[in-house]
Amino acid sequence: MNNPLDAARARDAGGHGTDSGGATVEQVVARLRADGIDVVRVAYPDLIGTERARDVLVERLPAVMEHGLAFCRAVYHTTPQGDVVPVPEGLGAGLPDIRVVPDLATLKPIPWEPGVAHCLGDAYEPHGTDLCPEGPREVLRRVTAVLGETGLTAVAGPELEYFLCEPDPQSPTGWRRYGDAPGNVYVAGRKGDPEGHLLSTLRGLRDYGIGATMGNHEFCGGQFEINLDHSGALDAADRAFRFKSAVKEIARHEGRLATFMAKPFNDEGGSGFHVHLSLCDAGGRNVLAGEDGDEHGLSATARHAIAGVLAHAPALAALFNPTINSYKRFGPDTLAPWLIDWGLDNRSAMVRIPPERGASTRLEVRLGDATANPYLGIAGLVAAAHLGVRDKLDCPEPLEGYGYDADRAPLLPGDLPAALDALEADADLTEVLGEPFVRAFLTYKRDEVERFQRHVTDWEFREYAYHL
């Protein structure tokens, strides 16, 4: 990876009252009108990474910049089915507001929504200038600030997979995999994509300006991957968040469903969220690169960072694998992580070190699945790497050969409750992420576990009803 440090700093430090070029809100409004844009969609992520938003007429943007947009804080704690989880800061406090202020540096016209520009927002407490502690974008800002105190900056490159489905009234779910055929592994063109979904999506994302670079049909039937360029940690998370929302919106325009669910089908594999991570010093030098003569071309800082990710992996699983379904993607021979290990250009390891060295030295952390909120996954990863460097943790020897041997490395948590327990027990990671966020996240996710444990599934009826 080339070093994008200067651009990352400029982007991550962008203010609210001006855009990235320093224009005032009045100048921004004039430019938007000249470009034929009359609506600004102000969006922010909730705890699970769902986009929450409000459409603002462009003439109202100056007032919104002054006062912000009021959203009920409990939106952070609302389930995919629309139920409000009783997190103390939300429902338990009488459903108070937060204040979302547009970040004009993130304005981008939406190619598939003529006349609409998309803008990310930052969440604040209703009075004053304190950021909302459980806001995912704000959590990542907190973590990058902690890392920045050491003189380091994180650069991240996200990789995300998803399944595309089309309507099927005969299916129990109402959907079937699009273009479903065996063996279309890493292909492009109409063989695995009969109606050209990938090309139209890739072009739309290019015009959206979120750093999409290339794409292909993935390993499974109806599965695709589109790669995003690398940048500063906050910008990378912004782009991954927008990518997921955009892909789902483009699919809806096609009359289809794009899902980033970890493992939506019993007879196919799952969808991953891999993050390539490097660390740069104040001069822009990649500090993971080793000196001449190092056995693996890795610096001591790189080894400490790897050790930090391994040490905090059980807690990271709660952020990178945040659903009940996530843990059905894991297991031996799945090419999804199962053990807490690392290897040199080894895709059976949880942390893979790609073969490039020098300025391109990086960790590829393969722990995550595509349901992860990209802000929280990247925040946890940067926090773990920081702790490894801060505490000078020792790195074990890399994995040799094919992994998935439980006698050679410890197991990752086997289900969401175990991962949540690991996050709660990880005091160091909690301190960096922020205790209010961790408390809210644990409350929300444990409610999800409790609801699932009370729910009677189709499998249970098929298994037991006739014979028992």
Side-chain angles (χ1 to χ4, degrees):
M1 296 191 299
N2 296 325
N3 175 30
L5 185 60
D6 292 339
R9 280 174 174 158
R11 168 64 193 84
D12 285 3
H16 295 92
T18 61
D19 70 356
S20 57
T24 66
V25 64
E26 290 77 15
Q27 291 170 323
V28 169
V29 168
R31 187 181 69 228
L32 291 172
R33 282 177 166 157
D35 291 340
I37 291 170
D38 63 345
V39 171
V40 174
R41 180 164 299 158
V42 181
Y44 69 100
D46 68 6
L47 278 183
I48 60 175
T50 297
E51 181 180 87
R52 307 294 179 174
R54 187 170 296 159
D55 285 343
V56 177
L57 291 170
V58 71
E59 60 266 25
R60 299 300 301 168
L61 190 57
V64 168
M65 290 302 303
E66 182 177 355
H67 302 293
L69 294 169
F71 283 87
C72 179
R73 189 184 203 119
V75 170
Y76 276 134
H77 320 133
T78 300
T79 73
Q81 299 303 310
D83 300 316
V84 178
V85 176
V87 174
E89 292 81 2
L91 188 63
L95 301 172
D97 277 343
I98 56 173
R99 186 170 62 93
V100 175
V101 179
D103 181 352
L104 295 183
T106 68
L107 271 169
K108 292 184 182 297
I110 303 177
W112 51 92
E113 288 276 10
V116 181
H118 191 274
C119 184
L120 296 172
D122 286 320
Y124 291 85
E125 299 291 356
H127 306 291
T129 58
D130 292 335
L131 290 168
C132 188
E134 74 263 46
R137 201 168 188 246
E138 291 65 48
V139 171
L140 180 52
R141 271 212 172 99
R142 172 191 172 92
V143 171
T144 56
V146 171
L147 178 67
E149 292 172 359
T150 68
L152 297 178
T153 301
V155 175
E159 293 181 357
L160 280 152
E161 300 166 343
Y162 64 94
F163 279 93
L164 186 67
C165 302
E166 52 192 2
D168 180 5
Q170 306 306 313
S171 168
T173 64
W175 302 94
R176 65 171 178 262
R177 291 191 293 268
Y178 159 81
D180 194 15
N184 285 326
V185 179
Y186 306 138
V187 301
R190 299 303 171 110
K191 181 183 178 188
D193 182 10
E195 296 185 31
H197 159 82
L198 179 63
L199 283 178
S200 61
T201 301
L202 193 59
R203 287 170 174 148
L205 294 173
R206 174 200 60 199
D207 296 342
Y208 194 25
I210 60 169
T213 59
M214 61 193 76
N216 58 269
H217 189 285
E218 248 295 334
F219 198 93
C220 304
Q223 188 183 43
F224 296 88
E225 177 178 279
I226 295 177
N227 299 129
L228 300 175
D229 205 353
H230 56 277
S231 64
L234 178 62
D235 182 61
D238 282 345
R239 293 184 296 105
F241 169 66
R242 291 174 122 161
F243 167 80
K244 292 177 72 173
S245 295
V247 167
K248 287 184 279 191
E249 279 296 290
I250 291 170
R252 290 183 182 109
H253 279 265
E254 298 174 349
R256 300 187 176 103
L257 170 71
T259 179
F260 291 86
M261 185 175 172
K263 186 173 169 61
F265 304 104
N266 281 312
D267 60 341
E268 281 288 13
S271 291
F273 170 41
H274 300 169
V275 180
H276 293 252
L277 179 73
S278 58
L279 301 174
C280 296
D281 63 18
R285 184 180 67 89
N286 185 341
V287 299
L288 303 186
E291 302 296 332
D292 292 341
D294 179 81
E295 180 183 5
H296 301 307
L298 300 174
S299 67
T301 300
R303 291 177 173 275
H304 296 325
I306 294 168
V309 174
L310 300 182
H312 297 280
L316 291 179
L319 303 176
F320 269 119
N321 313 107
T323 70
I324 297 289
N325 176 258
S326 293
Y327 296 83
K328 297 178 181 179
R329 171 177 163 266
F330 286 166
D333 303 316
T334 59
L335 290 182
W338 188 48
L339 303 174
I340 301 171
D341 54 11
W342 74 285
L344 299 162
D345 197 14
N346 191 327
R347 284 181 168 82
S348 64
M350 188 192 82
V351 179
R352 169 180 173 256
I353 308 300
E356 297 87 353
R357 290 295 181 268
S360 298
T361 308
R362 63 196 186 273
L363 285 59
E364 181 192 3
V365 179
R366 301 170 59 82
L367 174 60
D369 67 64
T371 56
N373 183 328
Y375 293 101
L376 302 183
I378 293 174
L381 174 58
V382 172
H386 161 72
L387 290 169
V389 173
R390 185 197 71 180
D391 298 337
K392 298 188 184 306
L393 297 183
D394 292 329
C395 187
E397 289 302 307
L399 169 69
E400 296 288 344
Y402 191 55
Y404 303 109
D405 181 353
D407 292 330
R408 299 166 67 184
L411 285 167
L412 283 161
D415 54 33
L416 182 57
L420 295 175
D421 289 345
L423 176 59
E424 184 176 34
D426 196 326
D428 288 340
L429 196 70
T430 294
E431 181 181 5
V432 180
L433 294 171
E435 192 274 335
F437 156 69
V438 173
R439 182 175 68 248
F441 183 84
L442 290 172
T443 301
Y444 179 92
K445 282 295 170 180
R446 283 182 170 143
D447 178 87
E448 181 177 326
V449 171
E450 291 170 5
R451 287 185 289 112
F452 177 76
Q453 289 174 338
R454 294 193 301 267
H455 182 74
V456 179
T457 66
D458 293 343
W459 183 91
E460 290 169 282
F461 190 89
R462 288 197 307 271
E463 187 78 2
Y464 307 129
Y466 186 80
H467 291 288
L468 301 181

